[in-house]
Amino acid sequence: MTEAEVAAGSRWRRWWPWLGALIGAAMLAWVLRRLDLDHLRAVLAGADLRFLLLVPLFIAAEQLVRAWKWRQILYPLRPISTLPLFGAIMAGYLAGMLIPFGFAMLARAWLVARREGLAMSAVLATVALDRVTDGIIFALLVPVALLLVVFPDPTGDIRAGLTWAASGSFVLFAVLLLALALYKRGTLRPGGWFMRSIERLPARVLGPVRRVAASFASGIVWPREFWRGFSIIAASVIIKLFAATHFLWAGLAFGAELRPAEYLFLMVFLGFVAVLGRFARIPGSFIVGAIFALGLFGVAEERALAMVLVVQAASLLTVAGIGAFALWRQGVTLADLRTGGGGDAARSG
């Protein structure tokens, strides 16, 4: 790559956040072009506090189920109680809000490894299994949502886009699951292909790389008990169903009630929107996507905006509150997470 190409790439990376912010602002202005501020104030003033309180409650319950699921994955390495795992997950999300690009996974793995005396790379492998199983279940729920829901789509572009996205996601996560299995086989077996492939590394590097590779492979485990394996899959489904209730409670708080399958559609649609928005670094993409999707089911812009703001605020406050409490309980600061999670990832084993 020439110096001119490197300089052009550097300029593009510097200007892209500003361009993404401009795109996000333009999209938000478009979906809110008919917003009535007086109506919005009336909607907010008439909110039912009982349903509003259920939003953070179910956000926390969703992650508590995730912690219980993670416990089943971790069980072959070490039996760990659900509540410490719940705290690590919430603290990881808090760290991920402040330090993006996958740091949440590193942080939660480091917290559990630090507390339990396990190798961080082994715990990180169990986090990867958690995410992969979640991804496969999510992809399988997309066709279910599309079959059960009717919404205006004259050109069929929305259904086609979701179908292709779900198919690609399923293939991607299935390949990742297969890659993890092959990696474990190629690392832990005597004379495995992975260990042979790193033999030419310098001696001072080879030892640490071997230890980290073997440690990560040892964390790629599946419980022998059938009920634990089944529980992991069932918990993934329950997590997604709990996620679908966020807009249920927010909608009921503001007088908007949809059919049950429509909440499932919102969950899968906004899941893809969140991933694309994070990848493209377009702020406000979740808000834009939620208002657009709710509009497909006849929810006015004012109610849709109130609903999505409540869901986002409840999510941020729940993560910040529980995550900060979990870090305080362990005597860990965010600076410790940055140095520990980032550094120990390369040294664990």
Side-chain angles (χ1 to χ4, degrees):
M1 185 178 290
T2 65
E3 291 185 8
E5 290 173 333
V6 172
S10 178
R11 285 195 299 271
W12 176 253
R13 287 191 297 271
R14 186 169 60 251
W15 284 102
W16 176 249
W18 295 99
L19 181 59
L22 183 62
I23 293 172
M27 292 168 59
L28 190 59
W30 180 77
V31 298
L32 296 177
R33 63 192 182 280
R34 294 187 296 270
L35 184 72
D36 185 333
L37 290 178
D38 290 333
H39 188 195
L40 176 61
R41 282 193 289 268
V43 168
L44 293 172
D48 189 325
L49 184 60
R50 295 171 301 172
F51 289 117
L52 287 180
L53 293 176
L54 287 175
V55 180
L57 180 63
F58 271 76
I59 289 172
E62 174 191 342
Q63 301 309 321
L64 188 61
V65 175
R66 180 179 300 283
W68 183 82
K69 171 195 172 186
W70 191 20
R71 180 180 190 273
Q72 311 314 315
I73 298 174
L74 276 163
Y75 196 84
L77 294 181
R78 178 170 301 172
I80 304 174
S81 299
T82 299
L83 282 180
L85 298 179
F86 173 63
I89 288 171
M90 300 303 278
Y93 285 143
L94 176 60
M97 287 163 47
L98 303 174
I99 311 169
F101 306 114
F103 192 79
M105 294 177 62
L106 289 174
R108 71 188 253 200
W110 179 76
L111 284 168
V112 171
R114 173 182 179 272
R115 184 180 185 275
E116 300 294 332
L118 296 169
M120 179 180 166
S121 50
V123 180
L124 188 60
T126 66
V127 177
L129 279 175
D130 173 36
R131 299 298 296 270
V132 168
T133 52
D134 256 12
I136 291 174
I137 295 300
F138 178 84
L140 291 175
L141 287 175
V142 175
V144 176
L146 292 177
L147 285 172
L148 295 177
V149 173
V150 177
F151 56 89
D153 184 21
T155 62
D157 290 342
I158 298 175
R159 287 185 177 273
L162 288 174
T163 300
W164 281 106
S167 302
S169 297
F170 180 81
V171 171
L172 172 63
F173 285 112
V175 169
L176 286 175
L177 190 60
L178 178 62
L180 287 173
L182 292 176
Y183 170 82
K184 179 174 182 176
R185 183 177 181 182
T187 303
L188 297 184
R189 287 183 61 184
W193 62 269
F194 182 82
M195 288 304 186
R196 293 199 311 271
S197 68
I198 63 174
E199 288 296 332
R200 295 186 180 181
L201 290 174
R204 61 185 178 84
V205 176
L206 183 58
V209 170
R210 274 179 172 169
R211 288 195 297 273
V212 172
S215 176
F216 187 86
S218 68
I220 304 172
V221 289
W222 193 262
R224 293 183 178 180
E225 302 92 334
F226 172 79
W227 74 267
R228 289 191 192 277
F230 179 80
S231 296
I232 291 169
I233 304 302
S236 294
V237 176
I238 294 171
I239 287 168
K240 299 308 177 189
L241 294 179
F242 273 27
T245 67
H246 300 171
F247 278 95
L248 165 65
W249 308 123
L252 291 175
F254 296 112
E257 187 173 354
L258 306 178
R259 295 183 179 89
E262 291 170 347
Y263 295 110
L264 182 63
F265 174 85
L266 285 173
M267 188 272 296
V268 298
F269 180 84
L270 294 176
F272 286 123
V273 168
V275 171
L276 289 174
R278 195 178 300 118
F279 179 76
R281 299 175 69 183
I282 298 178
S285 55
F286 183 83
I287 296 176
V288 172
I291 294 172
F292 170 78
L294 287 165
L296 294 175
F297 303 121
V299 179
E301 287 89 345
E302 294 80 12
R303 278 193 171 82
L305 180 59
M307 289 167 65
V308 68
L309 289 179
V310 162
V311 170
Q312 284 216 305
S315 179
L316 292 173
L317 291 173
T318 304
V319 166
I322 300 177
F325 179 76
L327 290 178
W328 173 77
R329 287 275 300 185
Q330 290 200 34
V332 176
T333 66
L334 288 173
D336 295 331
L337 280 180
R338 183 190 292 269
T339 56
D344 287 3
R347 297 191 300 269
S348 61

